[in-house]
Amino acid sequence: IAVGGGRPAGLDHGYYVEPTVLVDVTNDMRVAREEIFGPVMCVIPYDTIDEAVEIANDSPFGLHGGVYGRDEERALAVARRLDTGSIGVNMHYLPDSAPFGGLKASGVGREHGPEGFDSFLEYVSYNVTPSMADSLEHLREQ
């Protein structure tokens, strides 16, 4: 533990932990393999961008990721290689209008945005002859 790891002052009851940074972590450790829903960050060293992407994608989970870098185009190129439902590039923010949900074992479906309504909708496809389609053209506007 490089920073944090204790109970925040004034929170004597409940499950709380200070913002925590863990160093010397390897990708086979439990703390690196599981989703931690708290202010905990694992620092895993890498030598190349390809290795960093491989480490990041070597997980059964994929809720959210983040890429930070001075070269924003390069950071975006790296972000596009990550298997997560959402990714922040040089920020950790997701507007309410954006769909939110994970990949792999990090959940099914999406919340927020137009995609969040899909689970409440039932789509129906009608297959009709071309002459019927022409006569029903006015229905497209409804």
Side-chain angles (χ1 to χ4, degrees), residues 43-117:
V43 178
I44 302 174
Y46 61 90
D47 292 318
T48 67
I49 295 297
D50 289 339
E51 183 184 3
V53 170
E54 183 179 334
I55 291 167
N57 288 339
D58 179 29
S59 170
F61 304 105
L63 184 59
H64 184 81
V67 176
Y68 291 82
R70 284 184 221 129
D71 182 338
E72 289 186 342
E73 286 186 30
R74 186 174 184 202
L76 180 59
V78 172
R80 294 184 65 179
R81 296 172 60 190
L82 300 182
D83 297 332
T84 62
S86 60
I87 303 171
V89 179
N90 286 341
M91 63 187 323
H92 185 81
Y93 169 74
L94 190 64
D96 290 338
S97 60
F100 176 75
L103 301 180
K104 306 181 203 177
S106 289
V108 176
R110 294 289 176 264
E111 299 175 2
H112 309 299
E115 296 80 0
F117 288 105

